[in-house]
Amino acid sequence: MRDVAVIGIGLTKFGELWDKSFRQLITEAGAKAILDSGISGEEIDAMYIGSMSSGRFVGQEHIGALVAEASGFSHLHIPSTRVEGACASGGLAVRQGYLSIASGMNDIVVVGGIEKMNDVSGTAATGTLATAADQEWESFFGVTFPGLYAMIARRHMHEYGTTKEQLAQVAVKNHKNGALNPNAQYRREITLEQAINATMVAEPLGLLDCSPVTDGAASIVLCAAEKAKKYTDKPIKIIGSGQGSDTLALHSRRDICTLDATVHAAKMAYKQANVTPKDIDLAEVHDCFTIAEICAIEDLGFVKKGEGGKAIENNITTLDGQIPINTSGGLKTKGHPVGATGVAQIVEIVEQLRGEADKRQVKDAKIGLAHNVGGSGATAVIHILEAM
Ligand code: COA
């Protein structure tokens, strides 16, 4: 296996982007990443694009080739592949790009992630997202993702005494971080009272416990580490990559408060990187709902099982805390264009490790972790990165 580094990053603004098409969004992110890396189109060996449901959101499938064409590369006939794993599609695309270089097959790979979710109604978006749950045992009976994560939250409250205030504190922290992120969907702070009293979506999760419906795209350029310094002074090495799967249906799990796919993926990534959770300086975790962030920091080993709520309450995860979590604002505030999210998480970690995160900069950040989840935890993918 060869070492792999990130040499370029690009992100569009996240939000309700009525004035931009699917093609415009992915090419904007890709062009930014390619310019940032200094590579030329001729040097690209392959492209991997994460998108969960472009067919249902914008009526367009076959987006591997479409993205190559929209980027102006069709005459180069670059192998371009779409990768799908629900909300983990972006993270999986990163992993496919990483594996293709680590194996020796490719030297330079462009990875993209995109979702344009606001071209359909809110009801249609919810229905499309629900296709990532178990159709026969969950969606058929009317449960949607807010409902599934609400069940996790209820169980977590029952088992560990987690409170609605602690859930709300996750939202308050992420809105505070998102307010500092120029690309975030919601650049405003919220109070604890607003979070607690927000319109109920699925008891106990209110509007401000949920990630929104978002348009956006992200891209990174990956390169064999031995060649990375040719392009940039600040290559960021991927030192660990892990992936895990689990049952689609939540009720089939051993314990609905633990995402075993995350635990498994984390074990793989930590082992490869030869680090422990204590070595991680910051993490972007998959906070599609506030309870998901609490479960994630437990499953990633930053705190003991059941102590996630207390950790939030004790400000361990704030920008200047012991382990800053979701410095970008997370899915909650930066937004969650599902196929783009896993790639956008890497963009944030790379900015932090390069020391370019401006007001969100974590002091002395050397090792960062990105954690991307599909569905209610049936897929998890984790990358650990370090400045070279
Ligand atoms: N956080 C903060 N504010 C939000 C928000 C969120 N998640 N979602 C919507 N808003 C705001 C909007 O900006 C809008 O504000 P305005 O009136 O000042 O313009 C207001 O709330 C109403 O927005 P609207 O788009 O009508 O909300 P909605 O009721 O249609 O949708 C949710 C709200 C929470 C149901 C929707 O965002 C949702 O389904 N989120 C979960 C997405 C999901 O499941 N992702 C996959 C995870 S696995």
Side-chain angles (χ1 to χ4, degrees), residues 122-286:
T123 310
T126 300
T128 296
L129 290 166
T131 61
D134 190 309
Q135 286 302 301
E136 286 180 45
W137 295 104
E138 294 178 329
S139 311
F140 181 78
F141 296 99
V143 71
T144 58
F145 276 105
L148 288 167
Y149 277 91
M151 288 189 243
I152 298 177
R154 268 274 160 251
R155 189 75 207 175
H156 208 281
M157 288 169 150
H158 173 79
E159 292 281 344
Y160 305 113
T162 302
T163 64
K164 178 130 176 78
E165 284 72 16
Q166 290 168 345
L167 296 176
Q169 276 169 313
V170 174
V172 171
K173 168 186 69 73
N174 288 349
H175 270 264
K176 199 167 178 190
N177 294 349
L180 303 175
N181 184 348
N183 290 313
Q185 182 160 358
Y186 297 119
R187 297 201 62 200
R188 59 163 198 264
E189 294 197 23
I190 57 167
T191 64
L192 192 65
E193 291 66 38
Q194 282 171 321
I196 291 171
N197 299 321
T199 306
M200 192 50 68
V201 174
E203 225 284 317
L205 303 178
L207 179 73
L208 294 172
D209 288 294
C210 304
S211 59
V213 170
T214 309
D215 307 327
S219 180
I220 59 171
V221 179
L222 296 175
C223 178
E226 77 243 27
K227 298 186 179 165
K229 286 259 161 87
K230 190 177 136 196
Y231 298 99
T232 172
D233 295 337
K234 292 180 179 172
I236 305 296
K237 197 155 107 178
I238 297 180
I239 57 172
S241 175
Q243 184 182 338
S245 62
D246 206 339
T247 61
L248 238 59
L250 188 62
H251 64 252
S252 303
R253 310 253 172 91
R254 169 183 74 78
D255 163 19
I256 68 167
C257 294
T258 303
L259 269 61
D260 280 333
T262 292
V263 174
H264 182 81
K267 209 185 268 179
M268 270 173 92
Y270 286 137
K271 186 171 175 217
Q272 183 189 355
N274 197 20
V275 297
T276 71
K278 284 196 174 57
D279 298 312
I280 306 295
D281 296 315
L282 79 153
E284 288 287 298
V285 310
H286 197 94

Side-chain angles (χ1 to χ4, degrees), residues 7-234:
I7 59 167
I9 51 173
L11 198 66
T12 66
K13 169 112 187 59
F14 280 12
E16 292 186 24
L17 308 178
W18 307 109
D19 55 336
K20 293 202 172 146
S21 71
F22 183 90
R23 284 172 203 244
Q24 283 172 318
L25 283 176
I26 190 67
T27 48
E28 181 185 324
K32 282 181 178 165
I34 289 169
L35 279 175
D36 184 47
S37 70
I39 59 160
S40 69
E42 284 78 12
E43 292 176 284
I44 302 170
D45 294 317
M47 296 168 64
Y48 291 93
I49 313 298
S51 177
M52 175 188 160
S53 201
S54 55
R56 288 180 62 138
F57 283 125
V58 294
Q60 179 71 61
E61 301 288 14
H62 207 168
I63 65 161
L66 175 118
V67 173
E69 181 206 319
S71 311
F73 297 145
S74 49
H75 65 292
L76 297 173
H77 310 293
I78 298 167
S80 184
T81 309
R82 183 249 190 99
V83 181
E84 190 277 314
C87 305
S89 300
L92 293 182
V94 174
R95 186 165 150 86
Q96 289 308 305
Y98 165 79
L99 291 173
S100 81
I101 295 177
S103 71
M105 176 71 87
N106 296 318
D107 281 340
I108 293 183
V109 169
V110 176
V111 176
I114 174 156
E115 217 72 58
K116 191 157 188 348
M117 303 168 72
N118 282 293
D119 287 10
V120 296
S121 68
T123 310
T126 300
T128 296
L129 290 166
T131 61
D134 190 309
Q135 286 302 301
E136 286 180 45
W137 295 104
E138 294 178 329
S139 311
F140 181 78
F141 296 99
V143 71
T144 58
F145 276 105
L148 288 167
Y149 277 91
M151 288 189 243
I152 298 177
R154 268 274 160 251
R155 189 75 207 175
H156 208 281
M157 288 169 150
H158 173 79
E159 292 281 344
Y160 305 113
T162 302
T163 64
K164 178 130 176 78
E165 284 72 16
Q166 290 168 345
L167 296 176
Q169 276 169 313
V170 174
V172 171
K173 168 186 69 73
N174 288 349
H175 270 264
K176 199 167 178 190
N177 294 349
L180 303 175
N181 184 348
N183 290 313
Q185 182 160 358
Y186 297 119
R187 297 201 62 200
R188 59 163 198 264
E189 294 197 23
I190 57 167
T191 64
L192 192 65
E193 291 66 38
Q194 282 171 321
I196 291 171
N197 299 321
T199 306
M200 192 50 68
V201 174
E203 225 284 317
L205 303 178
L207 179 73
L208 294 172
D209 288 294
C210 304
S211 59
V213 170
T214 309
D215 307 327
S219 180
I220 59 171
V221 179
L222 296 175
C223 178
E226 77 243 27
K227 298 186 179 165
K229 286 259 161 87
K230 190 177 136 196
Y231 298 99
T232 172
D233 295 337
K234 292 180 179 172

